[in-house]
């Protein structure tokens, strides 16, 4: 991704040189045509066209914000209920993610998910230990994490 | 500053303060370190974020000045606060802070025991 982005910036600068206009709008126009050019020549790179990745990152950001709001509604409900009925538990969740930064992002997301908190990551990065505030829906939580978060993160790193 | 923006800014700051109050109630009511960490790492984050966004909007509308430092603060709080919650929980677990009686399952214990026997 970074190589394609650098190439795109260089094309934008080339455009500015060709036009002889050194302004921000000129740079933006050059950047746009550079993106079009890279899209046309996308089969010569062995990674995907990089704007797909930018789109995946933006999607991940929106998931972050949505989960933060959901988590807060859940915590508020749990805390303000007249009778506390919580059932904390620590459970293990297998993960398919491999590199360090993917696991970090996943842990951040899990910590912001309603009712879960990352306690530890196993030494071989294959299991994440999660503290949940309510046990009755552990399976739901696991499938939810794997369906939405892991998929969104893999979308970025693919 | 017109009425609509006044209402929006006021609501943002008020919601942020209320969430912070919820965090405090959670810290008092919940039974053990880990469940308290839940309340502290989530509600406090969003509470502070709401107040900062309200502040940003206020100065934007009132003086036409977008404070880049407030935006940076929002990003930093958003990234660092969950990690603080995680580290507190982890440190508490490995220094032997007990879980509350209501806890029904503990997978991390088996991992730790496996490690101990492995070392011996």
């Amino acid at each position: 991704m970074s190589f394609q982005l650098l190439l795109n910036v260089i094309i934008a600068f080339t455009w500015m040189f060709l036009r002889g206009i050194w302004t921000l709008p000129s740079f933006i126009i050059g950047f746009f045509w550079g993106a079009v050019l890279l899209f046309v020549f996308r089969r010569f790179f062995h990674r995907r066209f990089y704007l797909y990745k930018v789109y995946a990152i933006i999607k991940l950001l929106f998931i972050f914000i949505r989960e933060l709001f959901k988590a807060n509604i859940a915590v508020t409900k749990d805390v303000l209920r007249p009778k506390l009925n919580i059932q904390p538990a620590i459970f293990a969740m297998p993960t398919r993610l491999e590199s360090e930064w993917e696991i970090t992002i996943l842990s951040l997301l899990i910590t912001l998910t309603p009712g879960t908190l990352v306690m530890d990551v196993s030494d071989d990065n294959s299991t994440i230990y999660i503290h949940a505030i309510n046990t009755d829906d552990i399976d739901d939580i696991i499938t939810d994490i794997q369906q939405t978060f892991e998929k969104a993160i893999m979308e970025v790193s693919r | 500053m017109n009425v609509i923006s006044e209402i929006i800014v006021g609501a943002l700051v008020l919601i942020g303060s209320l969430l912070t109050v919820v965090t405090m109630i959670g810290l008092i009511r919940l039974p053990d370190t880990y469940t308290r960490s839940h309340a502290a790492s989530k509600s406090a984050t969003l509470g502070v974020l709401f107040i900062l966004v309200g502040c940003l909007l206020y100065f934007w509308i009132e003086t036409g000045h977008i404070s880049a430092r407030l935006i940076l603060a929002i990003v930093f709080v958003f990234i660092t606060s969950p990690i603080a919650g995680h580290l507190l929980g982890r440190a508490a677990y490995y220094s032997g802070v007990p879980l509350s009686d209501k806890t029904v399952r503990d997978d991390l214990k088996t991992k730790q025991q496996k490690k101990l026997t492995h070392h011996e």
Side-chain angles (χ1 to χ4, degrees), chain A residues 47-150:
Chain A
R47 303 296 290 274
R48 284 176 309 161
F49 178 54
Y50 79 101
L51 284 181
Y52 288 129
K53 203 165 177 176
V54 173
Y55 170 70
I57 291 172
I58 292 170
K59 216 166 81 182
L60 197 60
L61 196 70
F62 274 101
I63 292 179
F64 253 104
I65 294 169
R66 193 190 68 204
E67 289 306 318
L68 188 62
F69 276 88
K70 267 161 70 182
N72 274 280
I73 294 168
V75 166
T76 312
K77 262 190 205 157
D78 272 338
V79 167
L80 296 183
R81 198 175 283 151
K83 201 163 172 286
L84 273 185
N85 62 342
I86 52 170
Q87 271 189 326
I90 296 176
F91 63 93
M93 190 198 83
T95 175
R96 289 174 293 164
L97 300 177
E98 277 154 13
S99 61
E100 303 268 320
W101 72 267
E102 287 173 324
I103 304 254
T104 311
I105 298 283
L106 184 65
S107 316
L108 268 177
L109 268 172
I110 290 172
T111 305
L112 291 176
T113 323
T116 51
L117 191 77
V118 174
M119 293 289 289
D120 200 3
V121 179
S122 70
D123 299 329
D124 56 349
N125 284 356
S126 66
T127 314
I128 298 179
Y129 295 93
I130 300 171
H131 183 273
I133 205 163
N134 273 320
T135 26
D136 39 313
D137 48 358
I138 279 183
D139 293 326
D140 288 349
I141 293 174
I142 289 183
T143 49
D144 204 38
I145 288 170
Q146 285 179 340
Q147 290 299 319
T148 52
F149 303 157
E150 275 196 4

Side-chain angles (χ1 to χ4, degrees), chain A residues 64 68-69 71-72 75 79 81-82 84 86 88-92 108 111 113 115-120 129 131 135, chain B residues 25-26 29 31 34 37-38 42-43 46 50 78-79 82 86 89-90 93-94 102-108 111:
Chain A
F64 253 104
L68 188 62
F69 276 88
N72 274 280
V75 166
V79 167
R81 198 175 283 151
L84 273 185
I86 52 170
I90 296 176
F91 63 93
L108 268 177
T111 305
T113 323
T116 51
L117 191 77
V118 174
M119 293 289 289
D120 200 3
Y129 295 93
H131 183 273
T135 26
Chain B
I25 297 173
R29 281 194 72 192
Y34 310 100
S37 181
H38 274 275
K42 282 164 199 146
S43 309
L46 196 66
F50 263 117
F78 191 56
I79 296 173
H86 158 67
R90 188 172 192 272
Y93 192 89
Y94 285 118
K102 287 178 180 159
T103 309
V104 284
R105 195 168 143 189
D106 193 353
D107 286 351
L108 198 51
K111 178 211 169 192

